[in-house]
Amino acid sequence: MTKQFPSLNRRSVLHGMAALGAGGLLAACGGGSGSRPGGPGGSGGGKLPSSLDSLAAEAAKEGKVRLFVSTDSRTSAHARKLSQALRADTGVDLDISFVGGEPDPRFASKLVQEGKAKIAPSIDVFATTPLVVRQLNAEGLVRPVDWASMEGVDPADVWQGHQGIHIAEIARAVLYNTDALREADAPRTLDDLLTDAWRGKIVTAGLPDVFSPLAAGLGTDGMLDFVRRLLEKGRASMASVPTAVRTQVSSGEFPLGYGIRIGESQRTAKAPIAYAPVKIPVVPRAGLVLKGARNPAAAQLFLYWLNATEQGRKKAFEVLDWPRHTTPGTDLHALAEKAGGVMTADIDWWMNDYEKADKQVARLLRK
């Protein structure tokens, strides 16, 4: 009999597209709702609500924004595509540049050290996961922004008390090799991975944050039970890092993998790898404006665009490879529709209970 895992009373279904919020950015901005025919950045664009005129004008004066990216595959050409899309959509001309190439937690630690040394941050915008958001807020390194007052921002996307706005998601997906399996023969539930049919045919990575997001849908006890059973001797093999999981699946070394999205390069090359139609957890990523940022208005406008506009959400995926499962055209949206939704939770859970679940699975993995 298939085991039914316990679940939390959380949002674990496919969310709708962001609804328009009410209210303007600042009382000082003036103007009502509606779109402007032209923006303060020059020719074309200008589709922002008129309540954001003051912010857009200040962003145009700053003219630049520096964005952290945790991969070297983002180039100056990608930055130019973002700049061009933002200008066409809003009328604001920003020179967007990338800084990074290392994992979020490592770069966050660097920011903490810079903050203690009273060194201005090397970036304006940081997009990262809940535990890193907590760390930076605890160190006083995040600039307060009243995202909820900005016209067009869904209140559910505002990380109240943490100064963040939801712009992307990390998924812990089930992958399969399309040369080895047909979709009809691939697992359809997480429970399927625990059957003898897949013993020895699964690769994953033994890191806490590969498994802890499952607690958003299974509950902490259900998540720990799943991990114990998945890691029983002979059932699954361990890759050194999550990125190795998709490599080993696409190469045919393993027919199944758990724990990571399909890579952009694999999608472009049409590698023999696909998502199994399994409801999986997605971890939200928030955009932050750093305290001491050289271009705070440009940073705020840029994050608003990524969150609250159709083109911004689209370009977040197409250019930055930052998808949301609620954005049509992204791989996560297609997976969520096929699997009947995703596992997720409200921001209070991610900022509190998630850390507890992460620590518990870390202890389990050390045994």
Side-chain angles (χ1 to χ4, degrees):
M1 180 179 295
T2 301
K3 180 174 178 180
Q4 297 297 316
F5 288 114
S7 61
L8 297 178
N9 184 21
R10 305 291 183 184
R11 292 181 298 158
S12 59
V13 297
L14 180 64
H15 299 308
M17 295 299 292
L20 289 180
L25 170 62
L26 296 170
C29 290
S33 60
S35 298
R36 298 165 293 135
S43 60
K47 298 177 184 177
L48 294 171
S50 59
S51 59
L52 302 186
D53 278 352
S54 179
L55 176 68
E58 188 61 32
K61 288 179 184 178
E62 292 172 353
K64 298 180 180 180
V65 66
R66 300 166 302 164
L67 171 66
F68 172 79
V69 291
S70 58
T71 171
D72 290 326
S73 64
R74 300 303 101 183
T75 66
S76 57
H78 290 92
R80 287 194 295 273
K81 286 181 181 179
L82 277 182
S83 295
Q84 291 164 2
L86 186 142
R87 180 176 181 176
D89 203 31
T90 70
V92 179
D93 193 1
L94 294 182
D95 178 13
I96 298 173
S97 60
F98 296 150
V99 176
E102 56 187 323
D104 289 13
R106 191 178 302 166
F107 193 85
S109 296
K110 178 181 176 181
L111 291 173
V112 170
Q113 293 304 314
E114 289 176 347
K116 290 178 179 178
K118 307 301 182 183
I119 298 173
S122 56
I123 58 172
D124 303 303
V125 170
F126 194 20
T128 190
T129 52
L131 297 183
V132 179
V133 170
R134 280 192 58 178
Q135 177 190 12
L136 295 180
N137 272 284
E139 296 289 343
L141 299 179
V142 184
R143 181 185 178 93
V145 176
D146 186 7
W147 297 112
S149 73
M150 298 183 73
E151 189 174 350
V153 173
D154 186 338
D157 284 349
V158 178
W159 294 30
Q160 290 286 5
H162 306 285
Q163 316 305 331
I165 185 170
H166 186 182
I167 59 169
E169 291 161 344
I170 293 173
R172 297 307 184 188
V174 179
L175 314 175
Y176 72 96
N177 183 287
T178 56
D179 287 341
L181 296 173
R182 299 177 304 165
E183 182 177 315
D185 298 325
R188 307 194 75 81
T189 67
L190 289 170
D191 218 19
D192 288 346
L193 299 179
L194 306 177
T195 63
D196 286 340
W198 301 114
R199 184 177 292 275
K201 299 178 181 179
I202 304 169
V203 61
T204 185
L207 300 175
D209 66 354
V210 169
F211 300 106
S212 54
L214 287 165
L218 303 181
T220 299
D221 290 343
M223 177 271 294
L224 292 172
D225 182 62
F226 173 81
V227 175
R228 288 190 191 98
R229 297 173 65 194
L230 182 67
L231 302 185
E232 287 175 356
K233 186 176 180 180
R235 189 181 299 282
S237 295
M238 290 293 162
S240 55
V241 291
T243 52
V245 171
R246 59 192 179 202
T247 300
Q248 290 178 278
V249 173
S250 61
S251 69
E253 186 175 350
F254 290 91
L256 289 180
Y258 169 78
I260 195 169
R261 286 176 58 225
I262 296 171
E264 181 183 25
S265 61
Q266 292 168 315
R267 294 196 303 270
T268 302
K270 300 187 184 302
I273 188 171
Y275 293 117
V278 176
K279 184 181 290 189
I280 47 89
V282 294
V283 182
R285 296 180 72 192
L288 308 173
V289 179
L290 292 186
K291 185 173 288 186
R294 295 177 193 170
N295 308 293
Q300 187 174 345
L301 182 72
F302 177 68
L303 287 176
Y304 171 87
W305 180 66
L306 291 184
N307 168 271
T309 72
E310 181 180 352
Q311 278 300 307
R313 291 189 292 266
K314 181 179 178 181
K315 295 304 177 183
F317 172 65
E318 290 180 353
V319 181
L320 293 169
D321 198 26
W322 291 356
R324 292 180 61 173
H325 77 276
T326 51
T327 302
T330 66
D331 59 334
L332 293 190
H333 183 268
L335 173 58
E337 288 206 319
K338 186 182 297 184
V342 301
M343 296 179 187
T344 190
D346 58 37
I347 191 57
D348 287 340
W349 187 89
W350 288 109
M351 299 305 292
N352 297 293
D353 300 323
Y354 176 49
E355 184 176 27
K356 300 171 187 175
D358 199 68
K359 289 180 177 178
Q360 285 187 258
V361 76
R363 287 195 292 269
L364 175 61
L365 293 172
R366 286 195 296 267
K367 292 181 179 179

